Amino acid sequence: MAIAPLLVVFLYDALRKSYPDLTLVEYSQKILGKWLGIAISLLFISYFFITTATYLREIGDFMISHIMPDTPIQVIMILFMSVVLMAASLGLEPLARSAEIFFPFVVLLLSSLIILLLPEIKFQNLQPVWEGGLKPVIRGSIPFIVFPFIESVAVLMILPFVSQKDRIRKSLFVGQLLAGIVLIIITMLAILVLGPELTARQNYPIYMLAKKINIANFMTRLEAILAIIWFITIFIRFSLFFYVTVLGLAQTLKLQDYRPLVFPLGILLI
C-alpha cells in the first residue's frame, strides 16, 4: 500500500510525455472527444474546486477553534482568500518561487518540532501491534492513499509550464516519497506521544503534539511552530488548487486569460 502512491508518478509521467504541451483539461478533450472530454474536465475542475473550498473551511475552523475563537469565521476566510486571490492573479511562477523560499523554513521548523517531541515518546502506545489482524490495516490504508496522494493529480495542470522537463519524473517521485515519509513520521509521533485513542478523537492531533513539548518547564506551548508550518503549507496547496481550478475552467470555456475568473470563483468559495 505504501508503494501505490509512488506508482501514480509513472502514470503522470506517461501522460506528460504523450502530451507535453497540453494540460489535463486539454488532452482530456483530445483523448475522449469534445463533449465527453468536457464532461470529464468539468469533473476534475469540480474536484479541484471542492478541495480548495475544503482547505478554506479547514483554515477557518482551525482559527476559530484554537487561536481566535471570538472572531467570525467569515472574516478569517475572507482575509486568507484575499492573499490566495493575489497569488492566483500573479500567476504560477511567483507561486512556485514563494514555495521555494518557504521550503527551508518548513523543513527547519518541522525538524525542530520532531526533535523537541522525542522526550515525550512512549513506545508502549504502539502495543498491541496488529491486534485485529492485517485486514483492518489494509482497509485503513486505502483512504491514506487517496487522501492526500491522489490530490497530486493537480500537477497535471501545470506540467506543460515546467521549464526543466527532464527533471519532472524525478521531482514528482521525490515529492511523493517525501510527503509519504513526513506523514508516516507525524502519524507515528501522534500515536507514540498521544496514544491511539486520543489521536483518533482529535481533529488536529499534530496541534496537540505541539502542546506536549516541555523542555525543563522552560520551553513550553510551542504550538505556534506548528501553526506556522501549517499556514505555509496549506497556503501553497490552497493557491495551487485554486490556480488550476480557474485555469482549467478558462481552458474548458476557451478563454484567452483565466484572470477574469479569479475574483468570481473566490467569492463562490467563500
Side-chain angles (χ1 to χ4, degrees), residues 118-246:
L118 292 180
E120 304 294 328
I121 287 177
K122 299 175 183 177
F123 286 100
Q124 59 266 30
N125 287 335
L126 288 178
Q127 299 173 345
V129 179
W130 286 0
E131 180 183 16
L134 187 59
K135 186 179 294 185
V137 176
I138 296 175
R139 189 183 303 117
S141 300
I142 295 175
F144 182 76
I145 294 171
V146 175
F147 177 82
F149 289 107
I150 303 302
E151 285 186 355
S152 59
V153 69
V155 302
L156 294 177
M157 289 294 299
I158 63 174
L159 290 184
F161 310 113
V162 177
S163 57
Q164 299 178 350
K165 297 187 181 298
D166 57 323
R167 299 177 59 182
I168 288 178
R169 181 173 176 177
K170 179 181 178 181
S171 298
L172 289 174
F173 188 86
V174 172
Q176 290 278 66
L177 182 62
L178 289 178
I181 292 173
V182 170
L183 283 175
I184 290 172
I185 291 174
I186 291 175
T187 303
M188 288 294 293
L189 271 177
I191 295 174
L192 287 168
V193 175
L194 301 177
E197 291 82 9
L198 184 57
T199 299
R201 290 199 301 268
Q202 292 294 325
N203 288 328
Y204 307 100
I206 188 173
Y207 190 76
M208 296 300 296
L209 278 178
K211 287 186 175 182
K212 288 285 185 178
I213 296 175
N214 187 346
I215 307 298
N217 292 323
F218 176 71
M219 294 183 64
T220 60
R221 302 303 299 266
L222 298 180
E223 53 266 32
I225 294 177
L226 182 278
I228 293 171
I229 296 172
W230 196 66
F231 283 141
I232 292 174
T233 54
I234 204 167
F235 165 72
I236 299 299
R237 292 168 65 188
F238 189 168
S239 300
L240 175 63
F241 267 84
F242 185 70
Y243 175 81
V244 300
T245 300
V246 294

Side-chain angles (χ1 to χ4, degrees), residues 93-106 232 235-236:
E93 185 174 354
L95 178 59
R97 291 191 182 278
S98 66
E100 188 176 15
I101 293 171
F102 285 135
F103 180 73
F105 294 100
V106 171
I232 292 174
F235 165 72
I236 299 299

